[in-house]
Amino acid sequence: MQVSPLIWTLTIVFILALLAFDFIFHVRKAHIPTLKEAAIWSSIYVGIAILFGLGIFVFGGSVPGSEYFAGYITEKALSVDNLFVFLIIMASFRVPREDQQKVLLFGIVFALIARTGFIFAGAALINSFAWIFYFFGLILLITAGNMLKPEGDEEDGANNFIIRIAKKVLPTSEHYDGDKLFTMENGKRVLTPMLLVMVAIGGTDILFALDSIPAIFGLTQDVFIVFTATAFSLLGLRQLFFLIDGLLDRLVYLSYGLAAILAFIGVKLILHALHENNVPFINGGEPVPVVEISTGLSLSVILGVLVITVVASLISPKGKAHAAISGARRHATAYVDLEYTTDQEERNRVFAKLVAEEEAIRGLPAKYRQSAHEEEDLMELLKRAHQEHDASLAR
């Protein structure tokens, strides 16, 4: 698809304007988004992405349009998976609820910058070396395999190498000072944990790009489509986090669905590499006659896998149990941590969620209910939360 420099410029300006609008009108003043606010703005950003895709259909044709939507849906699904890690990082650093928006927006901006760099580097490699498709395909197959491995310790998400070095080298306070990155402590200017959170988010964004960029290049090699599908999948991610906050724990089979999608795209890339082959030790450096997967089939497979994965997660007893137990632990931790938020309305919301999750645990099948009761640290945490709530009512 031929895209003029003017269209490139207008598109980039439009994306930057959306980010600036998000910061000025939603993030600059720390607050906790309501469910209604998150739902409205999530819908607006998804609507913008869909309208942009329809524009590609009209002015570029059905093939570029299909490639855009296949790329957008894949990147959006991978972004939702990324939200799990963001949730773990912010919980580990005990980021106050009203300041989480700024962390998320920083993560989105950093991801957009990092992925733009990867996109143009990937495009240059594709134009220079046809064999890079083999490499991209292998990356996706390895990533798909890693997604099927049992999850490691969640605390590792906020205790990576970069953070450990930063904590040792840079003077950092133990407490937040609003959403400031620096504060004064004992007469000295020191970093706040907010800056370390942003470093952790930025580091994980780079790792996420290592699988998301090869994935979308497996669906289209049009740089404009790759860039716009990636950018629009990231825009609105902050609102989506607050909208599906309670639903994240419910998507227990999402990693399996994403593994299937990445493996499928990995195979598609390798088939394409064989079709364009010029590697001397494969078929004498000549193209291999193989079946190539069409964009329409790719879009159908991606949508089908995601629908099956989400539905299976929502109706499964395992999903309900995992959501109730994880949610109760997270909300009890937030409630007993007075640094998490000083907003009484938010504290009431957190406690109401906790009570609902405790009720959900009591309604679980016996094996899941028993598993929850056997977690002594969870039971002690729930007890502390109720004691704190009773004390607050007595004050």
Side-chain angles (χ1 to χ4, degrees), residues 193-234:
M194 181 66 72
L195 187 59
L196 291 181
V197 177
M198 291 184 173
V199 172
I201 294 287
T204 55
D205 277 332
I206 293 175
L207 295 177
F208 292 149
L210 296 178
D211 58 56
S212 69
I213 297 307
I216 194 168
F217 269 120
L219 298 167
T220 177
Q221 285 82 60
D222 188 308
V223 177
F224 182 74
I225 294 176
V226 171
F227 172 74
T228 53
T230 301
F232 284 115
S233 72
L234 291 171

Side-chain angles (χ1 to χ4, degrees), residues 206-277:
I206 293 175
L207 295 177
F208 292 149
L210 296 178
D211 58 56
S212 69
I213 297 307
I216 194 168
F217 269 120
L219 298 167
T220 177
Q221 285 82 60
D222 188 308
V223 177
F224 182 74
I225 294 176
V226 171
F227 172 74
T228 53
T230 301
F232 284 115
S233 72
L234 291 171
L235 293 172
L237 195 61
R238 176 186 64 79
Q239 293 87 348
L240 186 64
F241 175 86
F242 290 97
L243 180 63
I244 66 172
D245 187 5
L247 188 62
L248 284 174
D249 290 317
R250 190 74 173 267
L251 301 177
V252 290
Y253 298 126
L254 180 62
S255 60
Y256 296 101
L258 291 177
I261 290 171
L262 291 181
F264 171 78
I265 299 174
V267 170
K268 183 178 187 293
L269 272 171
I270 291 174
L271 289 174
H272 180 73
L274 289 170
H275 190 267
E276 303 287 331
N277 179 63

Side-chain angles (χ1 to χ4, degrees), residues 59-85:
F59 296 104
S62 60
V63 173
S66 298
E67 289 177 348
Y68 168 83
F69 279 110
Y72 172 75
I73 293 168
T74 300
E75 292 297 303
K76 198 70 172 179
L78 288 169
S79 296
V80 171
D81 190 52
N82 298 349
L83 289 180
F84 283 101
V85 181

Side-chain angles (χ1 to χ4, degrees), residues 33-227:
T34 64
L35 188 62
K36 180 181 179 181
E37 177 187 338
I40 290 173
W41 283 103
S42 291
S43 301
I44 289 173
Y45 279 108
V46 171
I48 290 172
I50 291 173
L51 288 175
F52 189 87
L54 293 176
I56 292 179
F57 256 113
V58 172
F59 296 104
S62 60
V63 173
S66 298
E67 289 177 348
Y68 168 83
F69 279 110
Y72 172 75
I73 293 168
T74 300
E75 292 297 303
K76 198 70 172 179
L78 288 169
S79 296
V80 171
D81 190 52
N82 298 349
L83 289 180
F84 283 101
V85 181
F86 290 170
L87 182 65
I88 292 167
I89 290 174
M90 288 193 288
S92 299
F93 278 99
R94 297 159 59 209
V95 180
R97 181 74 170 179
E98 52 265 34
D99 296 326
Q100 290 180 0
Q101 291 200 97
K102 179 170 281 190
V103 174
L104 288 167
L105 185 61
F106 168 82
I108 290 168
V109 172
F110 189 90
L112 187 56
I113 294 170
R115 294 183 194 199
T116 299
F118 278 113
I119 286 168
F120 285 102
L125 288 171
I126 287 171
N127 290 331
S128 302
F129 308 103
W131 55 262
I132 201 69
F133 286 110
Y134 288 114
F135 180 66
F136 281 176
L138 184 60
I139 287 177
L140 294 183
L141 291 174
I142 292 172
T143 303
N146 287 335
M147 280 189 162
L148 299 177
K149 291 180 180 179
E151 296 180 0
D153 187 357
E154 291 185 348
E155 291 184 359
D156 289 343
N159 195 32
N160 60 44
F161 177 75
I162 297 174
I163 296 302
R164 291 198 297 271
I165 292 296
K167 285 181 176 180
K168 289 181 180 179
V169 175
L170 303 173
T172 308
S173 69
E174 292 295 325
H175 304 286
Y176 290 90
D177 185 4
D179 59 1
K180 296 178 182 177
L181 302 182
F182 299 89
T183 189
M184 298 299 295
E185 194 172 80
N186 298 323
K188 294 182 179 180
R189 185 177 173 85
V190 296
L191 306 177
T192 68
M194 181 66 72
L195 187 59
L196 291 181
V197 177
M198 291 184 173
V199 172
I201 294 287
T204 55
D205 277 332
I206 293 175
L207 295 177
F208 292 149
L210 296 178
D211 58 56
S212 69
I213 297 307
I216 194 168
F217 269 120
L219 298 167
T220 177
Q221 285 82 60
D222 188 308
V223 177
F224 182 74
I225 294 176
V226 171
F227 172 74

